[in-house]
Amino acid sequence: MWLFWQKATFLFILGRKPIMRPSIYSCVGMPTPMPACRSWNKPLKLAAWTCRNFIVARLLMSEKIMEAASMAEGAVEFMDGHAVETLHQDYRTAYRIEETLLHDKSDEQELFLFKNNFFGTMLMLDGVTQLTTSDEPFYHEFITHLPLICHGAPKRMLVVGAGDGGVIREACRHKDLDHIDMVEIDEAVVRFSMEHLPSLSNGAFDDPRMNLVIADAAEYVRGYQGPAYDVVVVDSTDPFGPAAPLFEVAFYEDLRRIMSDDGILVTQCGNPFVQPAELELAGGRLKECFPIMSPVMITVPTYTGGQMSLGFACKNPKFGLPSRTKIAQKLASIGPSDSFLVLNEDVFLASFALPNYVRKAGFDPLR
């Protein structure tokens, strides 16, 4: 999950709350400005398709992303006791507010934390849903367990961002994992999550294998000289503003350098239908840096459009997906089936299947 908080802070969150009676509806065609640079899709596609030089095309994408980000005017809207998400200019999703927990508006951002009967505790930033305690496992189970299980025998893991603790909570369930470095740019993110959303980390920050590093991730990776990492998870914001360096070729090359020969990297790449340019940009750069790269398709109910893509990359050019039997055995060693809200061996393999519109964007499924 992604979030920009107070100038240069990344924030993410979790929890487990029983699903109750729904209180959600959608509104179509509300003519309000679209925040967080979602307006680049058509011009970026045109640039990518018409430029013969792929590098030039992606440079145009980057410029368009930054231009759109600078003009974003996202904000929480309130209507009849509901918080209205303002991610997309052509439709809206509204969530009934049962209780306001925190509403902070500064020059940098507007943060809104509230209770909803169906989705539990919800966090919105500048009018965009970042996470809910009901559906966060749809995201954290995949971004964490897919690379760890695909590697087979990971010992060292690097987590970039993910200050909410959801990724490390899931990672700490792997008993054969010896060490986890988590690089977060602002300690306030961790403090906020532990205070307001403690179920996300569920005590993972106290695991003796966990090492929290407060630093700029790009600088940390650039200067890292320690033992190689078997798995890297980059749980960052979208590719603009403070998170932009985490989508650059230089950052991916630095990550490749500090990864083991069988190392696996997973990043968030946005909604491939609502935000096609983000996958094209990040995925294209990953393909430049790794011999194996493919998107992974997951579903997160409260993300606009309901769909999400992760970028999956591996250093080993001979990498192949584990068998259904091996996946089932590994999941069983992590915990009983009812300890996973979404993930099982069938959904695991299905997430690597790509719809036609993603294939047409230049990506091939892993086998």
Side-chain angles (χ1 to χ4, degrees):
M1 302 184 181
W2 57 93
L3 170 61
F4 172 57
W5 188 53
Q6 297 295 73
K7 296 186 178 179
T9 302
F10 304 100
L11 182 57
F12 325 78
I13 294 109
L14 139 74
R16 300 178 185 275
K17 185 176 180 66
I19 293 180
M20 294 175 279
R21 184 176 179 179
S23 56
I24 175 175
Y25 62 89
S26 295
C27 306
V28 181
M30 296 177 68
T32 54
M34 181 169 59
C37 70
R38 305 301 189 229
S39 58
W40 64 68
N41 295 350
K42 290 184 179 178
L44 289 188
K45 279 189 174 182
L46 180 62
W49 293 340
T50 56
C51 292
R52 294 183 179 180
N53 187 318
F54 186 62
I55 295 176
V56 172
R58 246 183 302 108
L59 286 174
L60 291 176
M61 288 183 186
S62 298
E63 292 176 0
K64 229 24 189 167
I65 287 172
M66 296 306 294
E67 177 186 350
S70 67
M71 297 186 296
E73 300 181 18
V76 180
E77 293 183 359
F78 297 98
M79 180 180 65
D80 190 27
H82 290 69
V84 182
E85 182 169 34
T86 56
L87 175 65
H88 199 283
Q89 66 179 351
D90 292 319
Y91 73 92
R92 295 285 183 265
T93 305
Y95 302 90
R96 188 169 64 211
I97 302 167
E98 302 300 331
E99 179 185 356
T100 296
L101 302 176
L102 179 66
H103 189 190
D104 180 71
K105 190 171 185 179
S106 67
D107 292 339
E108 291 80 23
Q109 68 156 21
E110 182 179 12
L111 184 150
F112 186 49
L113 187 71
F114 65 102
K115 292 278 190 180
N116 173 271
N117 275 345
F118 186 74
F119 288 111
T121 301
M122 296 189 62
L123 177 67
M124 280 188 171
L125 185 71
D126 291 334
V128 179
T129 302
Q130 304 298 319
L131 65 93
T132 82
T133 56
S134 177
D135 72 354
E136 59 80 18
F138 281 79
Y139 180 85
H140 289 124
E141 288 182 4
F142 283 87
I143 199 171
T144 308
H145 296 297
L146 260 61
L148 288 170
I149 292 176
C150 282
H151 185 278
K155 298 299 181 182
R156 296 181 58 83
M157 180 180 186
L158 172 64
V159 179
V160 173
D164 59 7
V167 169
I168 61 169
R169 177 202 70 209
E170 293 299 318
C172 287
R173 300 174 66 184
H174 289 253
K175 303 305 181 185
D176 53 354
L177 197 57
D178 292 337
H179 184 83
I180 306 169
D181 284 326
M182 190 180 92
V183 182
E184 170 58 61
I185 197 170
D186 195 332
E187 190 175 4
V189 174
V190 176
R191 292 199 303 267
F192 177 91
S193 299
M194 293 180 71
E195 178 182 355
H196 295 284
L197 296 150
S199 60
L200 245 70
S201 57
N202 195 31
F205 286 107
D206 297 324
D207 191 292
R209 297 171 294 172
M210 238 293 296
N211 176 44
L212 176 62
V213 180
I214 304 301
D216 179 277
E219 294 179 2
Y220 173 88
V221 171
R222 188 182 308 118
Y224 183 77
Q225 299 295 328
Y229 292 108
D230 299 310
V231 168
V232 177
V233 171
V234 180
D235 188 4
S236 72
T237 61
D238 286 340
F240 53 87
L246 305 185
F247 289 81
E248 296 293 337
V249 169
F251 180 65
Y252 294 149
E253 290 178 339
D254 287 336
L255 285 176
R256 185 186 62 197
R257 175 184 61 81
I258 68 173
M259 291 166 61
S260 60
D261 291 341
D262 292 323
I264 294 176
L265 164 67
V266 172
T267 71
Q268 77 86 5
C269 289
N271 183 316
F273 186 72
V274 178
Q275 305 163 281
E278 184 167 334
L279 176 58
E280 292 166 12
L281 176 72
R285 289 176 176 175
L286 282 170
K287 288 176 69 173
E288 285 185 27
C289 300
F290 291 88
I292 298 290
M293 185 276 158
S294 177
V296 173
M297 309 298 293
I298 66 175
T299 298
V300 184
T302 52
Y303 285 177
T304 295
Q307 197 173 48
M308 180 77 178
S309 65
L310 306 174
F312 183 99
C314 182
K315 279 184 69 173
N316 183 356
K318 297 181 179 180
F319 170 82
L321 290 175
S323 69
R324 183 180 182 277
T325 299
K326 288 184 178 180
I327 296 168
Q329 291 172 345
K330 186 61 180 178
L331 288 172
S333 72
I334 297 169
S337 59
D338 61 3
S339 69
F340 295 95
L341 180 64
V342 185
L343 196 59
N344 58 45
E345 59 271 26
D346 295 319
V347 178
F348 185 109
L349 289 172
S351 68
F352 287 90
L354 301 182
N356 289 340
Y357 73 91
V358 174
R359 295 188 184 194
K360 289 179 181 178
F363 299 100
D364 298 317
L366 292 177
R367 305 294 183 185

